[in-house]
Amino acid sequence: MGNDGAADSGSTVSGRAIPLDSGNAEALVSDRAAADDAYLPQGEVVEPGRALALADFTPPAISAGERLVRLAYRLGVPASALTTPFGKQSKPRLLATVLNPLVGHRAAGTALRAGHFLVHGVKAPITQIDFAGAARIAPPLERAVHSFAWLADLEACAPREQVAPVAERVLAAWLNANAKVPSKPGKGPAWSVANAGTRELNWLVHAPLILSGNDKVLRARVLAALEDTARWLDKNVSRAEDLLGEVAGWCGIVAAGLLLPDGKPRRLYGEAGLIRALGELVGDDGGVLSRSPLGQIEAISLLVRLRACYHALRTDPPTALEAILSLLVPPLLALTHGDGSLGSWQGAWAVDADELAALIAATGVRVRPLRDVRQWGYQRVVAQKAILQFDAAPPPLTRHARTGCASTLAFELSHAGHRIIVNCGGAGCAGGLMPVRLEQGLRATAAHSTLTLDDANSTAILINGKIGNGVSEVDIDRRTLAGQPGAGAKGAGATRLEASHNGYAARYGLTHRRILILRDDGTELRGEDLLLPSGGKGRNGKVGFAIRFHLGPGIDVRLSEDGQGAGLALPDGSLWQFRSGGGQITVEESIWADGQGRPQPIQQLVLQGLVSRGGGNFAWLLKKMG
């Protein structure tokens, strides 16, 4: 299959010509000269991107006296001693009511009223939840329960007077199970810094749900829990499990400093810590260092809710906070398809367009998606109705990864809002309807639309969302190609992406290079996967390879008579054809996580066989018919 001889390291698109179907003589791809003859280079070549870099942000400017207060608070001086050293201690209360900027899920709130948590399609009876955390539950449910993210769902489903009793009952059960605050993180899921910080923020944002009842004893317990959690975060925020967890902890601290009495020292302390943590979390182009859209969404959600706490007091948040929020939005938009939903990258599922649109609207940021997100690592190409997303960077460092995936050089393609080529996605929602046992498999290279060697991952997949050795370098070249005048549709302009990674170099002595050329009218994607000797000299023997193209939901597939292609019928009735440059195509089952994180059966096209350790190349074409 393909050419098993050594591939020239300077070649890009090569291999023999391929008919579109068994009776059509139109060439697919021949060699670099033949492929590029139809295009004339325009503009400059984009140089390879730098490694992920840390963005530097400056804490808000404060007076010398405020700096002294912040220092004293950081050293452990009580806030009351700094704000009213000779006065009475303030009574526990909230200083303002926050207007929730992010609406929850109505269906999940309705399920809560019926006595169930509803997370990614799975119902869990409230009465069977161990709020103390001794009996571990599925990770998505665990996060929802202990972060109190479900308060937004409850608020969304009915008037406050109808849902407040439900919130109070669940909160009382949680407080009974967590009466004693531990000395440090790690004492169960309730007391991770991420869950504690998010819980503090959610309690403050949704205070009317949990503090408006007639039970004065419960009200006093809640106010005490707010202060206890804030003090715990003051001491333990630096022990967060990762940078995103630390940001959540700082957001809880700042929110408490804003809305609880005698909070100015805590707010000054928290703002400085939050801006510093965000500077370490976010790269130069605004992408979080986990490279996960889920992490991007979580960071945006935290800052939007924290900003609402400032607005409740009719004060402006720090300028740096607004600047960071403006940086976070464009990279997230870069991973949306034509229907507005999210691409399936680094554990994410295809988050629904309405949910994403509501989040972006809440930020107030109006920008266009970034097309060339170098530090975050994703390339975006828009060609009329087609959108191509391409992972052209190493996986995140293991200290940043929560659901790290070996997805380097995978791509997704949609047209007119319909997904044609996808990745499986969903590792971040495993534990809902998506089984937990599939979590590591969903993070594997084979769960993405790219090439694998010997069924091995290009980067090692470890437990608990972490990743090991593998891809450490990715070279990327992006060009705009202009068509020849008068050449018609065949000579139309295009965008050309070429990238390579070294994930298989140590084990197999081969570098994977992928070339993608998307025509400007969005109706044709030409590609080639090359395996090049990484040491300059090929090894003896052969190794198995597989190039996978996971197909979007609702696509009907029919193999061609010669077995070297397939016809694809999309849900909108359009027809596409896939052709390979040699070798047999097979159709296999696959799985895809939909907008709610639920598993959906799909199919995948697989081009596989043996390739010489001296290198090889495999060309293919995906084209809209008619």
Side-chain angles (χ1 to χ4, degrees), residues 348-425:
W349 55 94
V351 177
D352 282 341
D354 291 344
E355 184 175 344
L356 276 180
L359 176 65
I360 300 304
T363 68
V365 177
R366 294 187 177 183
V367 292
R368 293 183 178 181
L370 292 183
R371 68 167 196 157
D372 185 10
V373 191
R374 284 307 178 87
Q375 271 60 56
W376 209 29
Y378 300 102
Q379 295 285 323
R380 174 187 178 90
V381 181
V382 179
Q384 293 193 18
K385 296 181 179 181
I387 294 178
L388 173 69
Q389 299 174 7
F390 186 41
D391 183 356
L397 298 176
T398 188
R399 67 176 179 270
H400 301 310
R402 284 189 177 180
T403 52
C405 296
S407 59
T408 310
L409 301 197
F411 76 96
E412 289 199 345
L413 177 70
S414 65
H415 187 272
H418 295 280
R419 296 174 189 240
I420 303 174
I421 305 297
V422 300
N423 301 309
C424 296

Side-chain angles (χ1 to χ4, degrees), residues 183 185 229-239 253 269:
S183 59
T229 303
R231 282 199 297 266
W232 185 88
L233 288 169
D234 288 343
K235 297 176 182 178
N236 294 291
V237 65
S238 60
R239 300 177 178 177
I253 290 171
Y269 166 67

Side-chain angles (χ1 to χ4, degrees), residues 133-152:
R136 299 303 295 267
I137 54 181
L141 178 60
E142 193 173 78
R143 289 191 295 271
V145 168
H146 294 292
S147 71
F148 278 70
W150 52 269
L151 285 172

Side-chain angles (χ1 to χ4, degrees), residues 65-210:
E66 288 175 326
R67 284 197 295 271
L68 185 60
V69 168
R70 184 174 67 193
L71 175 61
Y73 186 79
R74 190 174 65 203
L75 294 175
V77 178
S80 58
L82 295 170
T83 54
T84 55
F86 303 108
K88 294 182 180 179
Q89 187 172 1
S90 301
K91 295 176 63 175
R93 61 192 177 95
L94 290 189
L95 303 181
T97 299
V98 181
L99 181 62
N100 174 32
L102 297 174
V103 178
H105 297 281
R106 184 182 180 87
T110 302
L112 279 163
R113 295 184 67 193
H116 301 85
F117 288 105
L118 177 63
V119 179
H120 298 310
V122 170
K123 288 184 177 181
I126 296 173
T127 55
Q128 296 180 15
I129 297 296
D130 177 12
F131 291 105
R136 299 303 295 267
I137 54 181
L141 178 60
E142 193 173 78
R143 289 191 295 271
V145 168
H146 294 292
S147 71
F148 278 70
W150 52 269
L151 285 172
D153 301 330
L154 203 56
E155 187 180 73
C157 75
R160 183 193 304 168
E161 58 271 15
Q162 296 180 22
V163 298
V166 179
E168 290 172 352
R169 285 197 299 271
V170 179
L171 175 58
W174 190 93
L175 290 173
N176 290 335
N178 294 275
K180 185 178 180 180
V181 178
S183 59
K184 59 183 179 180
K187 304 297 183 181
W191 296 102
S192 69
V193 172
N195 283 340
T198 308
R199 179 170 65 247
E200 181 82 355
L201 184 59
N202 282 327
W203 279 351
L204 292 165
V205 170
H206 300 285
L209 277 184
I210 57 178

